[in-house]
Amino acid sequence: MAQTIAVEARNAVKEFGSGASAVRALDDVSISIREGEFFTLLGPSGCGKTTLLRLIAGFEMPSAGKILLNGQDITYLPPNRRPVNTVFQSYALFPHLTVAQNIGFGLEMQGRPASEVKATAARMLALVKMEAFANRKIGQLSGGQQQRVALARALAPAPKVLLLDEPLSALDLKLRKEMQIELKRLQLETGITFVFVTHDQEEALTMSDRVGVMSAGKLHQVGSPKDIYTRPVNRFVASFIGETNFLPASKVPGGVQLGCGAVVEVAGLTGTGTTTLTVRPEQVRLATQGEAGAIPATVRNLVYFGTDTHCYLSLSDGAEVIARLQSPSNGDVGLETGQTVALRLVQGAAQVLAD
């Protein structure tokens, strides 16, 4: 059964300025976001993700292309006529109002009955687990509590789509991780389509149903977090999502040959010429000398990360490889700098990417 499309951008272009000085923030972006999914736009600063969010919200008009909501063209519809709400980096809460009054403010502006406003505010307070804070002023709340109030206020009118522009960026690491779980819980409980913007790869991977990776105004890849991580379509996606190894290689029958002379099998590879092999550090294993597929290497550095130890290796041609090894209980992986070892790549993990 086909899923309903909640938000769609068709060949969206956005330019700021004109003539030779014009900056193209969005370059022919087409994307379909399904109803009821948690969708994340991921990319570095200046990649166009927030611009696309603002087009959906109605705060910007596209230079070309269309924006649709549930199949209806809303490209030039003003923001106040779109069933969409936005949570910004700055929560923009009213300090002179209580928590409950902040949550009900939007409903009051819509002329809803006082009884409905009160009941909805109470329901939203329960949803974000802040019933005990209803009569507190905003200045009496922590950053995480303020973020919950901003979410509750945005959810109160029951929007078709909730847009979130890096709402966790101002929180400390521990609270940010807690709020990632809360955001996903809220999305699942409400069933509202969430469109989340971030430059944080961990946020995108842990919360999203699907991720769209952007750079320089272009959309490079859309897929599940697992697809994005394990099967990136090009070098940019592979390098931006997590840590990876890039090794120069030449195509040979059945795979590629590294600069050190080792041949790595790559299924379905055709043609000849130079290319780049990529493999994630956790897919690099230490091997015994003479083991099938083993590649000689030298330990250059060891960095302890608690559960993992990153082993920096160099091959005979000088190419560098990082292996992520699980740390034993005593933290000692039994290796020393300068030691000669052998590594092997997990079968099927290495792949060749487009530049």
Side-chain angles (χ1 to χ4, degrees), residues 48-68:
K49 57 189 186 294
T50 295
T51 299
L52 180 55
L53 201 77
R54 291 177 64 83
L55 294 188
I56 298 170
F59 301 137
E60 301 282 355
M61 299 295 113
S63 305
K66 293 182 178 182
I67 303 295
L68 291 88

Side-chain angles (χ1 to χ4, degrees), residues 128-144:
V128 297
K129 301 179 180 179
M130 289 192 64
E131 300 99 314
F133 297 85
N135 297 316
R136 294 263 187 104
K137 291 294 181 67
I138 298 304
Q140 298 174 306
L141 303 179
S142 68

Side-chain angles (χ1 to χ4, degrees), residues 253-277:
V256 297
Q257 185 174 42
L258 304 181
C260 64
V263 175
V264 178
E265 293 183 8
V266 179
L269 189 63
T270 60
T272 59
T274 59
T275 188
T276 300
L277 187 77

Side-chain angles (χ1 to χ4, degrees), residues 106-224:
L107 298 174
E108 290 182 352
M109 292 299 100
Q110 293 177 356
R112 304 282 185 89
S115 59
E116 181 186 343
V117 173
K118 183 178 180 179
T120 302
R123 191 169 67 254
M124 291 300 106
L125 282 166
L127 185 66
V128 297
K129 301 179 180 179
M130 289 192 64
E131 300 99 314
F133 297 85
N135 297 316
R136 294 263 187 104
K137 291 294 181 67
I138 298 304
Q140 298 174 306
L141 303 179
S142 68
Q145 290 167 340
Q146 290 184 35
Q147 202 255 15
R148 289 170 187 255
V149 175
L151 282 167
R153 183 178 65 179
L155 290 168
K160 296 287 186 183
V161 178
L162 184 64
L163 309 175
L164 302 108
D165 188 8
E166 303 205 48
L168 308 183
S169 60
L171 304 179
D172 61 57
L173 179 61
K174 184 175 184 296
L175 185 55
R176 192 160 67 244
K177 289 181 178 296
E178 291 175 358
M179 288 309 302
Q180 288 171 14
I181 297 171
E182 284 299 299
L183 272 178
K184 185 60 180 175
R185 178 186 67 82
L186 287 171
Q187 192 271 326
L188 289 171
E189 287 191 17
T190 61
I192 293 173
T193 303
F194 277 28
V195 183
F196 187 89
V197 161
T198 185
H199 62 271
D200 189 303
Q201 305 146 31
E202 183 179 301
E203 284 184 356
L205 293 175
T206 56
M207 293 191 295
S208 312
D209 296 312
R210 288 192 303 151
V211 179
V213 185
M214 298 185 66
S215 173
K218 292 184 177 295
L219 183 67
H220 288 266
Q221 184 174 358
V222 174
S224 70

Side-chain angles (χ1 to χ4, degrees), residues 260-340:
C260 64
V263 175
V264 178
E265 293 183 8
V266 179
L269 189 63
T270 60
T272 59
T274 59
T275 188
T276 300
L277 187 77
T278 183
V279 62
R280 299 289 184 183
E282 64 271 19
Q283 303 294 344
V284 179
R285 302 280 191 266
L286 292 185
T288 57
Q289 297 286 352
E291 182 180 331
I295 304 171
T298 303
V299 178
R300 294 303 182 195
N301 196 16
L302 295 164
V303 181
Y304 178 68
F305 282 92
T307 57
D308 299 318
T309 296
H310 289 198
C311 181
Y312 292 80
L313 306 162
S314 64
L315 306 185
S316 61
D317 64 329
E320 297 183 349
V321 178
I322 302 172
R324 185 177 298 148
L325 311 176
Q326 186 171 3
S327 301
S329 57
N330 64 0
D332 184 4
V333 293
L335 298 174
E336 296 180 358
T337 301
Q339 181 178 345
T340 299

Side-chain angles (χ1 to χ4, degrees), residues 5-8 67-74 83-84 160-161:
I5 301 301
V7 180
E8 187 176 1
I67 303 295
L68 291 88
L69 183 66
N70 293 124
Q72 295 185 338
D73 189 342
I74 61 166
V84 171
K160 296 287 186 183
V161 178

